[in-house]
Amino acid sequence: MALWTFFGLREGKATTPWPRRGEADGQAGVLGMPRFAPEHCQEGCPACAEICPTGAIAPRADAPGGIAVDYGSCVVCQLCTAACPTGALSPSQDWAFGVRRREDLVWSETPAPEAEPAAGQRAFRRSLHIRHVDAGSCNGCESELQALNNPFYNLHRLGIFFTPSPRFADLLLVTGPVTHAMLGPLRATWEAMAEPRWVMAVGTCAVSGGIAGGGYACGNGLDGVLPVDLYLPGCPPNPAAIIAALLTFQGRLPQRVLGGRHAE
Protein backbone atom coordinates (compact mmCIF):
# COMPACT_ATOMS: atom_id res chain seq x y z
CA MET A 1 0.00 0.00 0.00
CA ALA A 2 2.81 2.40 0.93
CA LEU A 3 4.50 1.66 -2.41
CA TRP A 4 1.41 2.60 -4.41
CA THR A 5 0.95 5.76 -2.31
CA PHE A 6 4.54 6.77 -3.08
CA PHE A 7 4.00 6.00 -6.78
CA GLY A 8 0.88 8.17 -6.86
CA LEU A 9 2.61 11.08 -5.15
CA ARG A 10 5.53 10.84 -7.56
CA GLU A 11 3.28 10.84 -10.62
CA GLY A 12 1.35 13.88 -9.40
CA LYS A 13 -2.14 14.99 -10.36
CA ALA A 14 -3.58 13.05 -13.29
CA THR A 15 -6.56 15.34 -13.97
CA THR A 16 -6.33 17.74 -16.90
CA PRO A 17 -6.62 21.45 -16.05
CA TRP A 18 -8.52 22.00 -19.33
CA PRO A 19 -10.65 24.00 -20.11
CA ARG A 20 -8.45 26.67 -18.60
CA ARG A 21 -7.22 28.99 -21.33
CA GLY A 22 -4.10 27.68 -23.06
CA GLU A 23 -4.30 24.19 -21.58
CA ALA A 24 -4.38 21.08 -23.81
CA ASP A 25 -7.73 19.30 -24.12
CA GLY A 26 -6.22 15.83 -24.54
CA GLN A 27 -7.60 15.42 -28.07
CA ALA A 28 -4.44 15.94 -30.14
CA GLY A 29 -4.71 13.97 -33.36
CA VAL A 30 -8.43 13.21 -32.97
CA LEU A 31 -10.31 13.63 -36.26
CA GLY A 32 -13.28 16.00 -36.13
CA MET A 33 -15.99 16.96 -38.58
CA PRO A 34 -14.91 17.49 -42.21
CA ARG A 35 -14.21 21.16 -42.92
CA PHE A 36 -16.17 22.59 -45.85
CA ALA A 37 -14.74 25.17 -48.27
CA PRO A 38 -17.46 25.71 -50.91
CA GLU A 39 -15.21 27.97 -53.00
CA HIS A 40 -13.24 24.84 -53.93
CA CYS A 41 -16.29 22.88 -55.09
CA GLN A 42 -16.28 21.64 -58.67
CA GLU A 43 -19.56 22.51 -60.38
CA GLY A 44 -21.76 19.48 -60.94
CA CYS A 45 -19.51 17.14 -58.92
CA PRO A 46 -21.69 14.69 -56.96
CA ALA A 47 -18.86 12.59 -55.45
CA CYS A 48 -19.28 13.63 -51.80
CA ALA A 49 -23.09 13.47 -51.84
CA GLU A 50 -23.13 10.04 -53.48
CA ILE A 51 -20.82 8.49 -50.90
CA CYS A 52 -22.32 10.06 -47.74
CA PRO A 53 -24.12 7.24 -45.83
CA THR A 54 -26.52 9.50 -43.90
CA GLY A 55 -27.47 12.20 -46.40
CA ALA A 56 -25.49 14.82 -44.47
CA ILE A 57 -24.32 16.08 -47.87
CA ALA A 58 -26.88 16.61 -50.62
CA PRO A 59 -26.89 18.40 -54.00
CA ARG A 60 -28.77 21.70 -53.85
CA ALA A 61 -28.51 24.35 -56.55
CA ASP A 62 -29.05 27.33 -54.24
CA ALA A 63 -26.50 26.19 -51.61
CA PRO A 64 -22.86 27.35 -51.46
CA GLY A 65 -20.81 25.18 -53.82
CA GLY A 66 -23.99 23.50 -55.04
CA ILE A 67 -24.20 21.17 -52.02
CA ALA A 68 -25.94 21.39 -48.65
CA VAL A 69 -23.91 20.24 -45.65
CA ASP A 70 -25.68 19.26 -42.42
CA TYR A 71 -23.24 18.46 -39.62
CA GLY A 72 -26.16 17.28 -37.50
CA SER A 73 -26.35 14.20 -39.74
CA CYS A 74 -22.59 13.64 -40.04
CA VAL A 75 -21.14 10.45 -38.53
CA VAL A 76 -17.53 11.60 -39.08
CA CYS A 77 -16.76 8.65 -41.38
CA GLN A 78 -14.43 10.83 -43.53
CA LEU A 79 -15.65 9.16 -46.74
CA CYS A 80 -16.46 12.56 -48.24
CA THR A 81 -12.93 13.87 -47.61
CA ALA A 82 -11.50 10.84 -49.43
CA ALA A 83 -13.94 11.16 -52.35
CA CYS A 84 -13.71 14.95 -52.86
CA PRO A 85 -11.34 15.59 -55.83
CA THR A 86 -10.79 19.30 -55.08
CA GLY A 87 -10.31 19.48 -51.29
CA ALA A 88 -13.61 21.28 -50.71
CA LEU A 89 -14.15 18.81 -47.88
CA SER A 90 -11.04 18.14 -45.85
CA PRO A 91 -10.19 16.44 -42.53
CA SER A 92 -10.01 18.67 -39.48
CA GLN A 93 -9.86 18.62 -35.69
CA ASP A 94 -13.06 20.68 -35.38
CA TRP A 95 -14.84 18.55 -32.79
CA ALA A 96 -16.53 20.89 -30.26
CA PHE A 97 -19.86 21.19 -32.03
CA GLY A 98 -22.36 21.73 -29.20
CA VAL A 99 -25.03 24.21 -30.39
CA ARG A 100 -28.29 25.58 -29.01
CA ARG A 101 -30.12 25.67 -32.35
CA ARG A 102 -30.42 22.82 -34.82
CA GLU A 103 -29.91 25.23 -37.74
CA ASP A 104 -26.45 26.14 -36.44
CA LEU A 105 -25.29 22.69 -37.61
CA VAL A 106 -26.29 23.42 -41.23
CA TRP A 107 -23.54 25.17 -43.23
CA SER A 108 -24.51 28.73 -44.08
CA GLU A 109 -22.75 31.65 -45.76
CA THR A 110 -24.36 34.08 -43.31
CA PRO A 111 -24.79 32.38 -39.91
CA ALA A 112 -27.21 33.95 -37.44
CA PRO A 113 -25.76 35.49 -34.25
CA GLU A 114 -25.14 33.20 -31.30
CA ALA A 115 -28.24 32.43 -29.27
CA GLU A 116 -28.16 33.34 -25.60
CA PRO A 117 -28.68 30.60 -22.99
CA ALA A 118 -32.36 30.10 -22.23
CA ALA A 119 -33.75 31.74 -19.10
CA GLY A 120 -32.74 29.75 -16.06
CA GLN A 121 -29.75 27.92 -17.59
CA ARG A 122 -27.23 30.24 -15.95
CA ALA A 123 -28.58 29.15 -12.57
CA PHE A 124 -26.72 25.85 -13.14
CA ARG A 125 -23.27 27.37 -13.68
CA ARG A 126 -21.98 26.02 -10.37
CA SER A 127 -23.83 22.70 -10.19
CA LEU A 128 -25.56 20.62 -12.84
CA HIS A 129 -27.14 17.18 -12.38
CA ILE A 130 -27.69 14.96 -15.41
CA ARG A 131 -29.92 11.95 -16.02
CA HIS A 132 -28.74 9.90 -18.99
CA VAL A 133 -31.14 7.81 -21.08
CA ASP A 134 -29.90 5.39 -23.74
CA ALA A 135 -32.63 5.52 -26.38
CA GLY A 136 -31.22 2.80 -28.63
CA SER A 137 -27.54 3.71 -28.85
CA CYS A 138 -24.84 1.36 -30.14
CA ASN A 139 -22.96 2.17 -26.88
CA GLY A 140 -20.31 4.25 -28.65
CA CYS A 141 -21.58 7.42 -26.95
CA GLU A 142 -21.85 5.57 -23.64
CA SER A 143 -18.16 4.64 -23.75
CA GLU A 144 -17.30 8.33 -24.13
CA LEU A 145 -19.67 9.31 -21.33
CA GLN A 146 -18.01 6.79 -19.02
CA ALA A 147 -14.65 8.45 -19.68
CA LEU A 148 -15.98 11.69 -18.20
CA ASN A 149 -15.65 10.25 -14.70
CA ASN A 150 -12.13 8.86 -15.10
CA PRO A 151 -9.19 10.59 -13.36
CA PHE A 152 -8.14 12.51 -16.48
CA TYR A 153 -11.43 14.33 -17.17
CA ASN A 154 -12.90 14.12 -13.63
CA LEU A 155 -16.21 15.77 -14.53
CA HIS A 156 -17.05 16.35 -10.85
CA ARG A 157 -14.32 19.03 -10.61
CA LEU A 158 -16.55 21.21 -12.81
CA GLY A 159 -19.60 20.75 -10.58
CA ILE A 160 -21.33 18.44 -13.08
CA PHE A 161 -22.72 15.12 -11.88
CA PHE A 162 -24.72 12.18 -13.23
CA THR A 163 -27.69 11.12 -11.10
CA PRO A 164 -29.63 7.83 -11.23
CA SER A 165 -32.98 9.54 -10.56
CA PRO A 166 -34.74 11.93 -12.94
CA ARG A 167 -36.31 13.61 -9.90
CA PHE A 168 -32.90 15.02 -8.98
CA ALA A 169 -31.86 15.91 -12.54
CA ASP A 170 -31.68 19.32 -14.22
CA LEU A 171 -30.68 18.04 -17.64
CA LEU A 172 -31.86 14.97 -19.56
CA LEU A 173 -28.98 13.69 -21.73
CA VAL A 174 -30.19 11.37 -24.49
CA THR A 175 -28.15 9.10 -26.76
CA GLY A 176 -29.39 6.89 -29.60
CA PRO A 177 -31.87 7.45 -32.46
CA VAL A 178 -34.90 7.02 -30.14
CA THR A 179 -36.24 3.57 -30.87
CA HIS A 180 -39.99 2.97 -30.73
CA ALA A 181 -39.47 0.74 -27.69
CA MET A 182 -37.77 3.59 -25.79
CA LEU A 183 -40.33 6.31 -26.54
CA GLY A 184 -42.41 5.49 -23.45
CA PRO A 185 -39.53 5.24 -20.96
CA LEU A 186 -37.94 8.40 -22.39
CA ARG A 187 -41.11 10.46 -22.01
CA ALA A 188 -41.71 9.03 -18.54
CA THR A 189 -38.20 10.13 -17.51
CA TRP A 190 -38.83 13.61 -18.88
CA GLU A 191 -42.16 13.90 -17.07
CA ALA A 192 -40.56 12.79 -13.77
CA MET A 193 -38.08 15.70 -13.87
CA ALA A 194 -38.88 18.83 -11.89
CA GLU A 195 -39.11 22.22 -13.59
CA PRO A 196 -36.99 23.83 -14.90
CA ARG A 197 -35.76 20.92 -17.01
CA TRP A 198 -33.60 20.77 -20.11
CA VAL A 199 -32.71 18.25 -22.85
CA MET A 200 -29.39 17.54 -24.58
CA ALA A 201 -29.07 15.34 -27.68
CA VAL A 202 -25.64 13.66 -27.65
CA GLY A 203 -24.35 11.93 -30.77
CA THR A 204 -25.55 12.15 -34.35
CA CYS A 205 -28.17 9.45 -33.70
CA ALA A 206 -29.90 11.58 -31.05
CA VAL A 207 -29.56 14.72 -33.19
CA SER A 208 -30.90 13.35 -36.48
CA GLY A 209 -31.17 9.55 -36.39
CA GLY A 210 -27.70 8.78 -37.75
CA ILE A 211 -27.17 5.60 -39.73
CA ALA A 212 -30.28 3.93 -38.30
CA GLY A 213 -32.55 6.96 -38.63
CA GLY A 214 -35.96 6.34 -40.14
CA GLY A 215 -35.60 2.57 -40.02
CA TYR A 216 -38.29 0.11 -38.99
CA ALA A 217 -37.33 0.30 -35.31
CA CYS A 218 -36.66 3.99 -34.69
CA GLY A 219 -37.32 7.59 -35.59
CA ASN A 220 -34.93 10.38 -36.51
CA GLY A 221 -33.60 11.47 -33.16
CA LEU A 222 -35.10 13.71 -30.52
CA ASP A 223 -36.67 16.45 -32.62
CA GLY A 224 -40.43 16.11 -32.43
CA VAL A 225 -40.14 13.86 -29.37
CA LEU A 226 -38.85 16.27 -26.71
CA PRO A 227 -37.84 19.95 -26.78
CA VAL A 228 -34.06 19.95 -27.31
CA ASP A 229 -31.94 22.69 -25.71
CA LEU A 230 -28.50 21.52 -26.88
CA TYR A 231 -27.37 19.47 -29.88
CA LEU A 232 -24.00 17.69 -30.00
CA PRO A 233 -23.37 15.58 -33.13
CA GLY A 234 -20.53 13.09 -33.55
CA CYS A 235 -20.19 9.35 -33.88
CA PRO A 236 -19.40 9.38 -31.07
CA PRO A 237 -18.49 12.83 -29.74
CA ASN A 238 -15.30 12.64 -27.68
CA PRO A 239 -15.27 13.39 -23.92
CA ALA A 240 -13.83 16.88 -24.37
CA ALA A 241 -16.59 17.72 -26.87
CA ILE A 242 -19.21 16.58 -24.35
CA ILE A 243 -17.64 18.70 -21.60
CA ALA A 244 -17.40 21.72 -23.90
CA ALA A 245 -21.07 21.31 -24.85
CA LEU A 246 -22.15 21.07 -21.21
CA LEU A 247 -20.18 24.22 -20.37
CA THR A 248 -21.79 25.94 -23.36
CA PHE A 249 -25.19 24.95 -21.99
CA GLN A 250 -24.26 26.56 -18.68
CA GLY A 251 -22.94 29.69 -20.36
CA ARG A 252 -19.41 29.04 -19.11
CA LEU A 253 -17.97 28.61 -22.62
CA PRO A 254 -19.05 30.35 -25.85
CA GLN A 255 -20.66 28.33 -28.62
CA ARG A 256 -17.91 27.46 -31.08
CA VAL A 257 -20.05 26.78 -34.17
CA LEU A 258 -22.50 29.05 -35.98
CA GLY A 259 -24.06 28.12 -39.29
CA GLY A 260 -21.82 25.07 -39.50
CA ARG A 261 -18.74 27.28 -39.39
CA HIS A 262 -16.18 26.59 -36.70
CA ALA A 263 -14.79 29.60 -34.86
CA GLU A 264 -11.01 29.77 -35.02
mmCIF file of all heavy atoms in Angstrom, residues 51-55 72-77 79 177 204-206 208-215 218-220 235:
data_model
loop_
_atom_site.group_PDB
_atom_site.id
_atom_site.type_symbol
_atom_site.label_atom_id
_atom_site.label_comp_id
_atom_site.label_asym_id
_atom_site.label_seq_id
_atom_site.Cartn_x
_atom_site.Cartn_y
_atom_site.Cartn_z
ATOM 1 N N ILE A 51 -21.464 9.432 -51.816
ATOM 2 C CA ILE A 51 -20.818 8.490 -50.896
ATOM 3 C C ILE A 51 -21.259 8.676 -49.449
ATOM 4 O O ILE A 51 -21.041 7.790 -48.615
ATOM 5 C CB ILE A 51 -19.283 8.612 -51.006
ATOM 6 C CG1 ILE A 51 -18.612 7.312 -50.567
ATOM 7 C CG2 ILE A 51 -18.761 9.801 -50.203
ATOM 8 C CD1 ILE A 51 -17.162 7.206 -50.937
ATOM 9 N N CYS A 52 -21.914 9.791 -49.125
ATOM 10 C CA CYS A 52 -22.319 10.064 -47.740
ATOM 11 C C CYS A 52 -23.396 9.067 -47.295
ATOM 12 O O CYS A 52 -24.453 8.975 -47.918
ATOM 13 C CB CYS A 52 -22.849 11.488 -47.607
ATOM 14 S SG CYS A 52 -23.359 11.898 -45.922
ATOM 15 N N PRO A 53 -23.175 8.299 -46.226
ATOM 16 C CA PRO A 53 -24.116 7.244 -45.829
ATOM 17 C C PRO A 53 -25.361 7.742 -45.111
ATOM 18 O O PRO A 53 -26.317 6.989 -44.940
ATOM 19 C CB PRO A 53 -23.278 6.366 -44.891
ATOM 20 C CG PRO A 53 -22.290 7.306 -44.283
ATOM 21 C CD PRO A 53 -21.971 8.300 -45.370
ATOM 22 N N THR A 54 -25.379 9.011 -44.676
ATOM 23 C CA THR A 54 -26.524 9.498 -43.900
ATOM 24 C C THR A 54 -27.263 10.652 -44.559
ATOM 25 O O THR A 54 -28.217 11.182 -43.988
ATOM 26 C CB THR A 54 -26.059 9.974 -42.509
ATOM 27 O OG1 THR A 54 -25.115 11.036 -42.675
ATOM 28 C CG2 THR A 54 -25.431 8.839 -41.716
ATOM 29 N N GLY A 55 -26.834 11.063 -45.749
ATOM 30 C CA GLY A 55 -27.469 12.203 -46.400
ATOM 31 C C GLY A 55 -27.077 13.532 -45.787
ATOM 32 O O GLY A 55 -27.765 14.540 -45.978
ATOM 33 N N GLY A 72 -25.316 18.018 -38.435
ATOM 34 C CA GLY A 72 -26.161 17.279 -37.501
ATOM 35 C C GLY A 72 -26.442 15.858 -37.947
ATOM 36 O O GLY A 72 -26.894 15.037 -37.149
ATOM 37 N N SER A 73 -26.171 15.558 -39.215
ATOM 38 C CA SER A 73 -26.347 14.196 -39.737
ATOM 39 C C SER A 73 -25.021 13.505 -40.008
ATOM 40 O O SER A 73 -24.995 12.363 -40.476
ATOM 41 C CB SER A 73 -27.158 14.240 -41.048
ATOM 42 O OG SER A 73 -28.446 14.766 -40.819
ATOM 43 N N CYS A 74 -23.919 14.179 -39.727
ATOM 44 C CA CYS A 74 -22.588 13.640 -40.037
ATOM 45 C C CYS A 74 -22.146 12.620 -38.991
ATOM 46 O O CYS A 74 -22.260 12.872 -37.784
ATOM 47 C CB CYS A 74 -21.589 14.786 -40.101
ATOM 48 S SG CYS A 74 -19.883 14.272 -40.442
ATOM 49 N N VAL A 75 -21.650 11.471 -39.446
ATOM 50 C CA VAL A 75 -21.137 10.446 -38.534
ATOM 51 C C VAL A 75 -19.602 10.399 -38.555
ATOM 52 O O VAL A 75 -19.001 9.439 -38.082
ATOM 53 C CB VAL A 75 -21.722 9.053 -38.860
ATOM 54 C CG1 VAL A 75 -23.202 8.996 -38.528
ATOM 55 C CG2 VAL A 75 -21.461 8.659 -40.310
ATOM 56 N N VAL A 76 -18.983 11.423 -39.108
ATOM 57 C CA VAL A 76 -17.526 11.601 -39.078
ATOM 58 C C VAL A 76 -16.789 10.416 -39.697
ATOM 59 O O VAL A 76 -15.710 10.029 -39.253
ATOM 60 C CB VAL A 76 -17.029 11.853 -37.628
ATOM 61 C CG1 VAL A 76 -15.706 12.621 -37.637
ATOM 62 C CG2 VAL A 76 -18.037 12.637 -36.808
ATOM 63 N N CYS A 77 -17.378 9.830 -40.749
ATOM 64 C CA CYS A 77 -16.763 8.651 -41.379
ATOM 65 C C CYS A 77 -15.592 9.025 -42.276
ATOM 66 O O CYS A 77 -14.794 8.164 -42.656
ATOM 67 C CB CYS A 77 -17.812 7.877 -42.172
ATOM 68 S SG CYS A 77 -18.496 8.783 -43.584
ATOM 69 N N LEU A 79 -15.543 9.636 -45.347
ATOM 70 C CA LEU A 79 -15.648 9.161 -46.736
ATOM 71 C C LEU A 79 -15.686 10.325 -47.719
ATOM 72 O O LEU A 79 -15.131 10.252 -48.811
ATOM 73 C CB LEU A 79 -16.897 8.291 -46.904
ATOM 74 C CG LEU A 79 -16.872 6.917 -46.234
ATOM 75 C CD1 LEU A 79 -18.225 6.223 -46.370
ATOM 76 C CD2 LEU A 79 -15.778 6.047 -46.841
ATOM 77 N N PRO A 177 -30.931 6.867 -31.497
ATOM 78 C CA PRO A 177 -31.871 7.450 -32.457
ATOM 79 C C PRO A 177 -33.319 7.492 -31.986
ATOM 80 O O PRO A 177 -34.200 7.885 -32.741
ATOM 81 C CB PRO A 177 -31.724 6.522 -33.672
ATOM 82 C CG PRO A 177 -31.375 5.189 -33.076
ATOM 83 C CD PRO A 177 -30.507 5.505 -31.880
ATOM 84 N N THR A 204 -24.779 11.892 -33.141
ATOM 85 C CA THR A 204 -25.553 12.147 -34.352
ATOM 86 C C THR A 204 -26.876 11.392 -34.353
ATOM 87 O O THR A 204 -27.879 11.890 -34.872
ATOM 88 C CB THR A 204 -24.712 11.771 -35.590
ATOM 89 O OG1 THR A 204 -23.548 12.602 -35.622
ATOM 90 C CG2 THR A 204 -25.493 11.956 -36.883
ATOM 91 N N CYS A 205 -26.911 10.200 -33.752
ATOM 92 C CA CYS A 205 -28.172 9.449 -33.698
ATOM 93 C C CYS A 205 -29.255 10.237 -32.968
ATOM 94 O O CYS A 205 -30.393 10.314 -33.426
ATOM 95 C CB CYS A 205 -27.959 8.099 -33.013
ATOM 96 S SG CYS A 205 -27.061 6.907 -34.009
ATOM 97 N N ALA A 206 -28.910 10.819 -31.823
ATOM 98 C CA ALA A 206 -29.898 11.578 -31.054
ATOM 99 C C ALA A 206 -30.256 12.891 -31.741
ATOM 100 O O ALA A 206 -31.371 13.389 -31.602
ATOM 101 C CB ALA A 206 -29.367 11.850 -29.647
ATOM 102 N N SER A 208 -30.171 13.491 -35.217
ATOM 103 C CA SER A 208 -30.901 13.349 -36.484
ATOM 104 C C SER A 208 -31.275 11.925 -36.852
ATOM 105 O O SER A 208 -31.896 11.704 -37.889
ATOM 106 C CB SER A 208 -30.053 13.939 -37.616
ATOM 107 O OG SER A 208 -28.847 13.194 -37.763
ATOM 108 N N GLY A 209 -30.890 10.941 -36.055
ATOM 109 C CA GLY A 209 -31.173 9.547 -36.388
ATOM 110 C C GLY A 209 -29.956 8.766 -36.809
ATOM 111 O O GLY A 209 -29.929 7.551 -36.685
ATOM 112 N N GLY A 210 -28.938 9.459 -37.358
ATOM 113 C CA GLY A 210 -27.701 8.785 -37.753
ATOM 114 C C GLY A 210 -27.919 7.719 -38.809
ATOM 115 O O GLY A 210 -28.805 7.823 -39.668
ATOM 116 N N ILE A 211 -27.103 6.683 -38.752
ATOM 117 C CA ILE A 211 -27.169 5.595 -39.729
ATOM 118 C C ILE A 211 -28.515 4.881 -39.674
ATOM 119 O O ILE A 211 -29.084 4.498 -40.690
ATOM 120 C CB ILE A 211 -26.025 4.575 -39.476
ATOM 121 C CG1 ILE A 211 -24.658 5.203 -39.771
ATOM 122 C CG2 ILE A 211 -26.226 3.314 -40.306
ATOM 123 C CD1 ILE A 211 -24.383 5.429 -41.230
ATOM 124 N N ALA A 212 -29.044 4.704 -38.466
ATOM 125 C CA ALA A 212 -30.281 3.934 -38.298
ATOM 126 C C ALA A 212 -31.535 4.770 -38.467
ATOM 127 O O ALA A 212 -32.648 4.234 -38.462
ATOM 128 C CB ALA A 212 -30.291 3.285 -36.908
ATOM 129 N N GLY A 213 -31.399 6.066 -38.605
ATOM 130 C CA GLY A 213 -32.546 6.964 -38.625
ATOM 131 C C GLY A 213 -33.597 6.605 -39.656
ATOM 132 O O GLY A 213 -33.287 6.320 -40.806
ATOM 133 N N GLY A 214 -34.859 6.613 -39.237
ATOM 134 C CA GLY A 214 -35.965 6.345 -40.137
ATOM 135 C C GLY A 214 -36.175 4.886 -40.461
ATOM 136 O O GLY A 214 -37.004 4.550 -41.315
ATOM 137 N N GLY A 215 -35.441 4.002 -39.788
ATOM 138 C CA GLY A 215 -35.603 2.567 -40.024
ATOM 139 C C GLY A 215 -36.876 2.027 -39.390
ATOM 140 O O GLY A 215 -37.659 2.768 -38.786
ATOM 141 N N CYS A 218 -36.931 2.716 -35.373
ATOM 142 C CA CYS A 218 -36.656 3.986 -34.693
ATOM 143 C C CYS A 218 -37.049 5.175 -35.548
ATOM 144 O O CYS A 218 -37.344 5.052 -36.740
ATOM 145 C CB CYS A 218 -35.170 4.084 -34.335
ATOM 146 S SG CYS A 218 -34.073 4.137 -35.756
ATOM 147 N N GLY A 219 -37.029 6.342 -34.908
ATOM 148 C CA GLY A 219 -37.320 7.586 -35.593
ATOM 149 C C GLY A 219 -36.054 8.263 -36.062
ATOM 150 O O GLY A 219 -35.063 7.609 -36.405
ATOM 151 N N ASN A 220 -36.078 9.595 -36.035
ATOM 152 C CA ASN A 220 -34.934 10.380 -36.509
ATOM 153 C C ASN A 220 -34.414 11.297 -35.409
ATOM 154 O O ASN A 220 -34.283 12.507 -35.591
ATOM 155 C CB ASN A 220 -35.336 11.199 -37.735
ATOM 156 C CG ASN A 220 -35.562 10.329 -38.950
ATOM 157 O OD1 ASN A 220 -34.625 9.804 -39.544
ATOM 158 N ND2 ASN A 220 -36.820 10.155 -39.316
ATOM 159 N N CYS A 235 -19.917 10.786 -33.876
ATOM 160 C CA CYS A 235 -20.187 9.347 -33.882
ATOM 161 C C CYS A 235 -18.946 8.573 -33.416
ATOM 162 O O CYS A 235 -18.260 7.957 -34.219
ATOM 163 C CB CYS A 235 -20.604 8.902 -35.278
ATOM 164 S SG CYS A 235 -21.231 7.198 -35.359
#
